[in-house]
Amino acid sequence: MKNSDSITNFLDTSLFNIQKPGRYVGGEFNQVKKNWGDSFIKIALAFPDIYDIGLSNLGLTILYDIINKRKDALAERVYAPWNDMEAAMRKKEIPLFSLESRKPIKDFDLVGFSIPYETLDTNVLNMLDLSSIPLRAIDRSETDPIIIAGGHACMNPEPMHAFIDLFIIGEGEEIINEIIDILNTSKDFSRDQRISALSDLPGIYAPSHFQISYNNDHSINGIKNIKDESRSQIKRRFVKVLPPPVTDFLVPNISIIHERAAIEVMRGCSRGCRFCQAGMITRPIRERPVAEVLEAVKSAVQKTGYEEVSLLSLSTSDHSRISEMLVGINQLSSEMQFNFSLPSLRIETFDDQLIETMQGKKKGNFTLAPEAASERIRQSINKPISDEDLFSTVEKIFRMGWKNLKLYFMIGFPGEELEDVQKIIDLCLQVNKIGKDILRGRAEIHVSINTLIPKPHTPFQWAPLDTKENVDIKYRLINDSLRRSKIKVDWPDYQNSLFEAWFSRGDRKLSDVIETAWKKGARFDAWQDKFDFSLWLEAFEENGIDPYFYSHRSRETDEILPWDHINIGVSKKYLINEYVRSTVYENTSDCRFLCHGCGIQTEYGIDCGEIRMRKQ
Amino acid sequence: MRLRIAFRKNAEIIYTSALDLQKIWERSLRRANLKVKYSEGFHPQPKIQLAVPLPVGFQGSNELVDIWFNEGTLKTDVMASLQKNLPAGIDLTSVEEIPDNQKALNGLAESADYCVTLLDKDLGLAVLQASLLDLLNKKVIERERNKKHYDLRPLILDAKLINADKSFLQIQMHLLARSGASGRPDEVIKELGIDPASCKFERTKIHFNE
């Protein structure tokens, strides 16, 4: 086994020829490095993409902070090495190592992967392999760390079930402490006993404890917990009270994608857009008190020196004290000289006061996400904005001096017709006209179109992915019509949509496909220039699986879905009802004002209103 | 108030480029709560001027940066609070006040001294001595870097093999470091037929014109 000295020696003699070597040496300001020793439970936090993307991942940042604040545990980080580094490591037989202590990942007690999206799956396998940890949970032995995974892509854990010992379903802030407590009291246990003890925690899913049976048509016949029949579902965890935000972010010594302090102002969303998985799996809403947000912003700027702060949430303008918060942040921003950004503003909440607070800001891109343009589809997806609101917001944005406006739309909704797509075109042309009138031709409109991926745990989970033929016709229509007006349009490759649909909606059989694809060289599938679709088709073929079974089949609402044993707290009854309502263009209003009985309150025995706002 | 800070850039942070180092100064100053002056214009930037950029992968034992602080800033405060807020690998060694109107460090740089440690122990002293001599006797050393042809020879002012460190051979080089005419020690190393990945590079001094 290689030790940290030989890893250091490797780095000293290899990094000269590696791109951006700063990715592999750590040493960031605010990095925590404890003395490696037996007194700690050692956890490697792994992000399955390169450092440049992984460092700013908020989930891992939070866990790093919580674990390292404990006296009995340490957390170190590891990211996926880029191709050149992977080749150098394999050539010199250097195992994947942590940045802080340069210890082989295999030497940790626990390895926690954050998997926010499916295109990172093969990188997880690659990182396990580089660590000399058997890919499949079933092949691991006493000397292997326990491999856990969490993040939004794990809300359907099945495609990755073979490679992960335990999944964390839901939020990690509390459960990470429970995990460490159990690891502390189970040091004499065998690895299997430790896994078993951990799997008793609420929110922990051990795939090996579940047995899946199939029908002849490949759909699922039954899902059974063979260890504990009474626990037929794993219920998602969430924290009732958000702990104060992390403020001592690691500040990189090299350029990365997001160099900023990210302060989460609210978790959850009450709007209930039917295509949005995040809105379903992060319920209920929890707002942070304004004073706590302001304190965190101030502290984060002091502790990091960052010149930019980003206020995060699914819908920042829905925070009940947003104006008060923005006044405070504006004041801090001029006192302490930092910029702040507010992603995720809802069009209809864009009142004069909100705009007022943004008056002095640096004018970069402004992004709005109408998602749909026809009245019919807006009702169907439950994002009912009015054209009047949109146009008046756009007008205000241009009048304030923003020149670049980005508009997000989706196509491929169930029941969508070409006339609905035509409405997107009309709307963009109208927005373009407003911009040209106000800015005399200097307005730039950028339209970004996405294809709906009907995601698990959403009302659209039973719907098929739109066909390539349809999607092509729709994109061509949009592109041809808007290009004439010099509006920039971009849309995803259909192959990427297929991939996302297959691996977000798939079942256990896809583990074999992922392994085959990885063996054929699949890595970094989120990178357009690395993604090789043909290789994935081969992997399906070799395993005798028809991928279109997962993407293009309309499912009956009584079919057992691969993720049915993952209980996110929103009831199936509610999702079915929402699906039905979408077909008759019925709106479901913002649930802050009227509860629609999604199931969260009864499932967890809580009162959403109480949880939403803490005393300020 | 223009302060010239001398610092070491040590092994921990050699993979940070000159551009990224600029950001590190800005953020460290902000963390240290030291107020600096900003440039005029549409996009005011903190007035921080690094001397000659140090290539990625190089240590520097005598690097310089000029920073314009608000009047009344104490040199001792700068040393103490800035040091605490720098990432590991940057050590401040001295600070002195400089007339505000003096030319920028970058424009004054003339040449630099480097010390290259050869980690490959199989390299023989005598052979290396000979090839170094060969190199220096050449009139022209044509090389290509970033798809541009150039002559390395006039950029080398001096280079000698030393055996001071008992365990490794070292080459001391004195190379031109003017903007537009700057020699890289790794290019000299490559010309000697040695893999730069097996060397440690350190810039020991930058020479400036008066």
Side-chain angles (χ1 to χ4, degrees):
Chain A
M1 178 52 66
K2 304 265 181 175
N3 58 25
S4 31
D5 285 345
S6 61
I7 292 170
T8 295
N9 184 48
F10 161 77
L11 292 173
D12 285 349
T13 53
S14 303
L15 287 183
F16 197 89
N17 298 318
I18 297 288
Q19 290 177 48
K20 277 188 100 169
R23 287 168 177 161
Y24 309 106
V25 294
E28 302 87 347
F29 196 80
N30 290 327
Q31 171 183 277
V32 181
K33 184 172 179 245
K34 298 187 175 182
N35 283 324
W36 192 266
D38 288 339
S39 54
F40 295 118
I41 298 294
K42 302 177 192 75
I43 301 176
L45 296 175
F47 192 81
D49 206 325
I50 55 171
Y51 176 89
D52 317 36
I53 292 169
L55 183 75
S56 54
N57 179 270
L58 191 56
L60 289 186
T61 300
I62 292 170
L63 295 178
Y64 187 78
D65 184 69
I66 295 175
I67 299 167
N68 280 325
K69 280 204 170 106
R70 288 181 65 126
K71 294 215 169 5
D72 56 355
L74 64 78
E76 304 203 344
R77 297 162 297 132
V78 60
Y79 306 95
W82 190 240
N83 308 63
D84 59 342
M85 183 64 167
E86 181 190 338
M89 289 169 71
R90 288 193 187 276
K91 192 173 159 204
K92 296 275 169 69
E93 293 180 355
I94 293 295
L96 193 66
F97 57 90
S98 65
L99 292 187
E100 282 80 358
S101 296
R102 293 183 180 167
K103 292 289 180 186
I105 297 307
K106 205 179 161 84
D107 289 0
F108 285 79
D109 299 306
L110 192 80
V111 181
F113 281 97
S114 169
I115 316 182
Y117 33 89
E118 298 76 17
T119 41
L120 302 183
D121 289 349
T122 51
N123 286 0
V124 174
L125 270 60
N126 202 40
M127 289 171 80
L128 289 171
D129 185 65
L130 279 167
S131 308
S132 298
I133 296 169
L135 293 188
R136 294 200 172 240
I138 201 165
D139 298 327
R140 291 182 194 135
S141 59
E142 278 311 312
T143 55
D144 291 310
I146 295 172
I147 308 299
I148 64 174
H152 282 189
C154 299
M155 289 296 166
N156 173 17
E158 295 304 83
M160 285 293 281
H161 85 285
F163 315 112
I164 304 295
D165 294 312
L166 300 166
F167 288 92
I168 296 180
I169 307 299
E171 296 168 8
E173 282 105 334
E174 287 170 355
I175 201 167
I176 189 66
N177 283 316
E178 297 161 21
I179 289 173
I180 295 170
D181 290 342
I182 288 185
L183 290 176
N184 253 326
T185 53
S186 63
K187 284 182 177 165
D188 315 330
F189 288 22
S190 71
R191 187 174 182 277
D192 280 345
Q193 286 171 323
R194 275 200 306 279
I195 289 178
S196 181
L198 289 171
S199 73
D200 288 337
L201 285 172
I204 294 271
Y205 169 53
S208 61
H209 295 166
F210 281 76
Q211 205 171 55
I212 316 291
S213 53
Y214 298 90
N215 298 313
N216 286 337
D217 66 358
H218 305 295
S219 63
I220 291 170
N221 176 264
I223 301 175
K224 198 170 148 199
N225 186 337
I226 47 175
K227 192 198 171 208
D228 177 2
E229 263 190 73
S230 68
R231 210 173 164 220
S232 60
Q233 282 197 317
I234 303 299
K235 194 153 90 179
R236 175 179 62 97
R237 291 288 294 265
F238 72 89
V239 295
K240 286 188 181 165
V241 178
L242 297 182
V246 175
T247 55
D248 45 1
F249 297 92
L250 274 70
V251 186
N253 291 327
I254 59 168
S255 306
I256 60 167
I257 306 283
H258 291 306
E259 293 176 44
R260 62 189 189 194
I263 304 295
E264 191 183 18
V265 300
M266 182 169 82
R267 200 173 289 176
C269 178
S270 53
R271 299 285 181 159
C273 300
R274 292 180 182 126
F275 56 85
C276 178
Q277 190 191 43
M280 299 292 160
I281 62 176
T282 60
R283 295 180 177 211
I285 300 191
R286 285 139 295 158
E287 294 184 357
R288 280 208 163 100
V290 171
E292 187 177 288
V293 170
L294 295 181
E295 189 47 50
V297 168
K298 192 173 160 187
S299 162
V301 172
Q302 281 167 348
K303 287 177 175 172
T304 63
Y306 270 141
E307 49 297 291
E308 180 160 346
V309 174
S310 189
L311 302 179
L312 298 187
S313 81
L314 292 173
S315 181
T316 308
S317 46
D318 280 346
H319 191 288
S320 55
R321 318 271 295 256
I322 184 68
S323 338
E324 188 187 336
M325 189 191 301
L326 289 181
V327 168
I329 287 173
N330 243 320
Q331 200 178 335
L332 281 177
S333 136
S334 50
E335 277 168 28
M336 301 177 77
Q337 292 183 306
F338 62 83
N339 293 315
F340 67 94
S341 57
L342 296 167
S344 322
L345 293 175
R346 298 265 314 185
I347 291 155
E348 65 273 39
T349 58
F350 215 82
D351 59 11
D352 292 344
Q353 204 183 359
L354 182 63
I355 290 185
E356 188 94 347
T357 55
M358 302 179 72
Q359 194 77 47
K361 278 180 50 60
K362 214 159 91 180
K363 307 284 194 292
N365 280 311
F366 206 104
T367 304
L368 294 173
E371 310 293 5
S374 77
E375 208 50 39
R376 217 168 61 94
I377 297 291
R378 283 175 181 166
Q379 302 291 341
S380 160
I381 66 174
N382 204 34
K383 195 163 185 182
I385 49 165
S386 74
D387 282 348
E388 278 162 30
D389 279 348
L390 177 68
F391 294 142
S392 96
T393 296
V394 164
E395 204 178 309
K396 285 173 195 163
I397 291 167
F398 286 129
R399 286 204 192 284
M400 282 173 59
W402 267 279
K403 294 181 189 67
N404 302 320
L405 179 66
K406 194 163 186 183
L407 296 171
Y408 276 93
F409 292 95
M410 285 169 101
I411 61 156
F413 292 117
E416 185 179 68
E417 305 286 345
L418 279 183
E419 61 198 74
D420 299 310
V421 178
Q422 182 60 44
K423 282 277 192 333
I424 295 179
I425 298 165
D426 299 344
L427 190 142
C428 292
L429 292 174
Q430 181 61 26
V431 167
N432 195 40
K433 185 176 179 306
I434 296 172
K436 299 279 184 252
D437 286 351
I438 295 171
L439 293 167
R440 286 182 211 86
R442 281 174 301 143
E444 289 227 1
I445 316 286
H446 189 157
V447 176
S448 191
I449 315 270
N450 271 299
T451 307
L452 171 79
I453 313 292
K455 284 281 172 89
H457 308 294
T458 69
F460 287 146
Q461 65 181 347
W462 295 278
L465 177 73
D466 203 357
T467 62
K468 183 172 191 323
E469 294 69 34
N470 279 344
V471 165
D472 281 349
I473 292 169
K474 291 170 186 175
Y475 283 135
R476 221 172 296 135
L477 182 62
I478 295 172
N479 195 37
D480 292 351
S481 316
L482 295 185
R483 269 232 310 256
R484 263 177 273 141
S485 303
K486 300 211 163 110
I487 297 174
K488 267 187 271 174
V489 186
D490 66 56
W491 63 88
D493 199 312
Y494 193 71
Q495 294 178 344
N496 295 95
S497 305
L498 280 172
F499 181 92
E500 198 184 333
W502 295 339
F503 290 96
S504 66
R505 295 155 60 89
D507 56 24
R508 288 196 162 190
K509 295 171 186 166
L510 295 196
S511 282
D512 293 346
V513 178
I514 294 170
E515 189 175 343
T516 307
W518 170 77
K519 281 186 179 148
K520 288 172 172 291
R523 313 267 192 285
F524 292 106
D525 296 295
W527 293 69
Q528 206 50 55
D529 55 334
K530 302 276 175 233
F531 177 61
D532 183 351
F533 186 68
S534 60
L535 182 156
W536 284 96
L537 288 183
E538 285 169 29
F540 274 103
E541 171 105 43
E542 280 172 33
N543 287 285
I545 294 171
D546 170 19
Y548 294 91
F549 173 78
Y550 301 105
S551 52
H552 283 80
R553 194 169 50 90
S554 183
R555 305 182 196 205
E556 296 300 323
T557 50
D558 60 359
E559 179 178 332
I560 298 174
L561 301 171
W563 51 88
D564 269 356
H565 52 313
I566 303 301
N567 175 4
I568 61 157
V570 173
S571 71
K572 203 164 191 176
K573 196 174 127 218
Y574 173 81
L575 293 180
I576 293 174
N577 191 36
E578 280 295 291
Y579 189 35
V580 171
R581 286 169 75 87
S582 82
T583 61
V584 291
Y585 315 111
E586 284 279 349
N587 240 53
T588 300
S589 64
D590 187 330
C591 71
R592 278 178 296 177
F593 312 110
L594 177 67
C595 173
H596 303 292
C598 74
I600 288 281
Q601 301 205 96
T602 40
E603 189 66 46
Y604 293 99
I606 55 161
D607 176 333
C608 285
E610 266 172 32
I611 295 235
R612 177 158 71 97
M613 276 189 280
R614 266 182 285 154
K615 292 212 167 49
Q616 301 278 323
Chain B
M1 180 183 192
R2 178 180 181 183
L3 295 184
R4 177 159 297 169
I5 297 171
F7 64 98
R8 300 178 61 87
K9 192 170 177 238
N10 297 324
E12 296 97 312
I13 199 157
I14 54 175
Y15 300 113
T16 294
S17 70
L19 209 63
D20 292 334
L21 190 60
Q22 182 87 14
K23 270 195 280 187
I24 287 180
W25 286 111
E26 287 178 35
R27 290 171 182 164
S28 302
L29 287 159
R30 189 193 282 267
R31 290 192 290 261
N33 206 18
L34 290 164
K35 299 277 183 278
V36 296
K37 298 222 165 113
Y38 277 72
S39 63
E40 311 274 318
F42 197 65
H43 287 298
Q45 297 292 318
K47 286 192 77 176
I48 299 167
Q49 290 180 352
L50 281 156
V52 197
L54 185 64
V56 171
F58 284 39
Q59 297 190 43
S61 45
N62 204 0
E63 297 295 301
L64 295 173
V65 61
D66 283 357
I67 302 173
W68 279 255
F69 289 90
N70 282 0
E71 296 310 319
T73 306
L74 295 174
K75 284 195 274 184
T76 46
D77 279 359
V78 171
M79 284 297 268
S81 55
L82 187 53
Q83 182 64 67
K84 266 191 295 190
N85 285 287
L86 283 162
I90 300 180
D91 292 337
L92 304 183
T93 50
S94 71
V95 55
E96 59 170 329
E97 193 168 349
I98 295 291
D100 213 40
N101 55 3
Q102 201 185 82
K103 266 181 88 176
L105 278 170
N106 211 351
L108 292 172
E110 175 64 25
S111 62
D113 292 329
Y114 297 89
C115 177
V116 183
T117 306
L118 311 174
L119 301 174
D120 183 351
K121 291 188 176 182
D122 295 337
L123 294 169
L125 180 69
V127 178
L128 209 56
Q129 194 76 275
S131 52
L132 192 58
L133 217 62
D134 267 2
L135 186 80
L136 293 175
N137 283 334
K138 284 185 182 164
K139 291 267 183 314
V140 175
I141 306 172
E142 198 163 322
R143 286 197 60 84
E144 190 185 319
R145 188 173 168 79
N146 300 329
K147 290 176 185 146
K148 274 185 198 154
H149 290 275
Y150 74 102
D151 182 4
L152 176 64
R153 184 61 191 90
L155 306 177
I156 306 172
L157 301 174
D158 192 18
K160 58 174 180 278
L161 194 65
I162 54 169
N163 203 6
D165 186 332
K166 288 280 177 291
S167 39
F168 298 109
L169 291 174
Q170 292 181 311
I171 302 177
Q172 273 184 349
M173 299 179 197
H174 185 199
L175 307 178
L176 221 52
R178 294 186 198 137
S179 59
S182 183
R184 286 185 60 119
D186 48 323
E187 289 278 287
V188 179
I189 287 296
K190 279 186 206 159
E191 192 60 34
L192 289 169
I194 302 168
D195 179 6
S198 69
C199 303
K200 259 189 200 162
F201 295 90
E202 182 174 354
R203 182 156 74 189
T204 49
K205 191 172 172 55
I206 309 171
H207 301 278
F208 295 94
N209 278 324
E210 285 316 305

